[in-house]
Amino acid sequence: MRIENLAINKNGFAFDPTTGETFTLNDTAREIIEDLAKGIDEKEIAKKLSKEYEVTEEEAFNDVLDFKEKLKLYGLLS
Amino acid sequence: MAKKTYEKPTIIKVESSHSKAGVPMPKQKIRKTIGGVNIDEMVDKFGSPLFIFDEKAIREKYRRAYEAFSSRYPNVQFGWSYKTNYLKAVCAVFHQEGAIAEVVSEFEYEKARELGIDGKDIIYNGPFKPYESLVTAAKEGAKIHIDTFDEINDLEKVADELGLEIPVAIRLNMDTGIYPQWSRFGFNIESGQAMDAVKRIRAGGKLRLTGLHAHIGTFMLDANAYKIETAKMVRFMNEVEEKVGFTIEYIDVGGGFASKNHLKGIYQPPEVVVPTIDDYAEAITSALYENLKGNSYPKLYLETGRHLIDEAGYLVTSVVASKTLPDSRRSYIVDAGVNLLYTYFWYKFNIELTREVSGISEPAMINGPLCMNIDVIDESILLPRLKRGDKLVISPVGAYNVTQWMQFIRYRPRVLMVTEDGNVEIIREKEDLSDIEKREILPEKLKLK
Ligand SMILES: Cc1ncc(COP(=O)(O)O)c(C=O)c1O
């Protein structure tokens, strides 16, 4: 899981030291990455998001799954 | 504690091929109203998707075009090209502004008559005019534009049948320096075929040639082609009058002026490549003055289609789903597709949102609702993360879409017109099953219940 090694700064930039790749991301993306790295499951992450933000748990759940797909395509998650 | 506004999670790899991605869109394209009326409210009330026409924009465009020509050459008349958009309300606006009708089939002819247009105010073009429709058009005094030698024969028969000498025009084709040359329609000037047609009409003694017509192409980015066209037509007219003795009352230079749409494959924006209406008007009228002889000023007809209506039409569509594609692009599925947007095959549309969406933009593609791989409205666009129900406003779509759209897989949606006084009128109802099944017949022995 390369996301564990991602160096994410406050300005929405992430650096992957293993490949030298950089990414831009928003706050929601950062939170999900941090949670995934801690081993929290998708449903739990969705629940957290829906408590913190104006979003339903259902919508957030889909977004987390979709986001994981993106991380896989970028090789950040296996 | 108040909850924070939610931005969908977005991550974008910074790489040169997507170098524009990953930053907030420089300026999100937002359109909240059409003709002064709020788009979200129209969708709430009338559903999605929706075609929306802006009456004021149509009238302004027409007036501007009319002025560009009439200020240079007063004896001018526009004929509204029905095939470009034959919704009654749209045709009626053009007719109220003073345009006559230009039709290319018996169906369009009937449509114009039903709307209240007199035969004499109809230009009847087209490569196939069924015999019965020629009888009607001749009786009603329409301007019949002959496309082939066979049609000359048909019309002579009609003349006999009605005991009338029928005034006619012929359609010409010619080299105007543009490619492709539309040489399939009418008679060729350079080869002598056009003069043969004139002589053939003279020899028959049943028809009287009163007009010359040509339509050299569509979305013409070179105004000079019209200068060449008009010059060739006037010189041909001079020759016909001198050698054959017909008096030509009008010259119809057809349609083809471009709209402010973005042709695929053309890098520069329409603001740069599309000539202005004054450029076209100057090209045509200067060629008239340079080539007309004596004091005869034949009536100039124009059959301008897309230029007059394209930018007054919008398609509002809603996001119904989104997903990440294996190439990491996002796909948005929207409720309108290429079934409704025939002009997609040529245009890269202007796509706007109805609200500002915060967050970074990412490369996306916009797909329609058809189960077909070709159902793509935009292959590559940078968009912030949209939610279900977010609306996209697609334009210009006023020309050719509401005539060439297909009833395929889905029903065709409502069409609205925002009127000059800010009212919203339904000008075509959305379809339902009865529209589609009305013409079907299920044989008795195949009935299932
Ligand atoms: C005979 C004729 N006139 C007018 C038009 C309108 O053309 P445009 O929409 O390019 O102005 C067409 C379009 O094909 C046409 O065939």
Side-chain angles (χ1 to χ4, degrees), chain B residues 79-84 102-104 125-126 145 171 182 185 213-215 217-220 226 252-258 302-309 399-400:
Chain B
W80 173 240
S81 160
Y82 266 45
K83 74 190 92 45
T84 309
E102 186 269 331
V103 306
V104 290
N125 284 317
H145 291 182
R171 176 160 177 170
W182 282 30
F185 305 101
H213 165 254
H215 172 73
T218 192
F219 212 93
M220 305 283 294
Y226 287 98
D252 178 343
V253 297
F257 303 158
L302 294 146
E303 300 170 352
T304 310
R306 73 173 79 239
H307 172 85
L308 293 177
I309 190 69
Y400 295 102

Side-chain angles (χ1 to χ4, degrees), chain A residues 4-53:
Chain A
E4 287 166 354
N5 305 325
L6 277 183
I8 305 176
N9 77 9
K10 289 260 172 322
N11 300 326
F13 274 99
F15 178 70
D16 180 354
T18 51
T19 59
E21 288 168 348
T22 52
F23 301 86
T24 46
L25 40 70
N26 61 4
D27 284 347
T28 327
R30 184 174 45 76
E31 275 187 55
I32 298 174
I33 287 175
E34 285 166 3
D35 287 349
L36 286 170
K38 281 184 216 151
I40 304 177
D41 80 15
E42 297 95 349
K43 195 157 168 49
E44 215 39 54
I45 299 175
K47 203 175 279 172
K48 277 183 60 186
L49 288 172
S50 68
K51 282 193 187 126
E52 188 183 348
Y53 295 98

Side-chain angles (χ1 to χ4, degrees), chain A residues 24 26 28 54 63 66 70, chain B residues 4 6-8 328 330:
Chain A
T24 46
N26 61 4
T28 327
E54 277 176 30
D63 288 346
D66 184 86
K70 191 90 165 196
Chain B
K4 293 191 265 182
Y6 180 68
E7 232 176 56
K8 284 177 179 282
S328 88
R330 177 158 306 282

Side-chain angles (χ1 to χ4, degrees), chain B residues 411-427:
Chain B
Y411 298 125
R412 284 175 287 200
R414 278 197 171 116
V415 184
L416 307 181
M417 182 179 277
V418 176
T419 62
E420 267 185 311
D421 46 16
N423 288 327
V424 179
E425 304 271 5
I426 298 174
I427 59 169

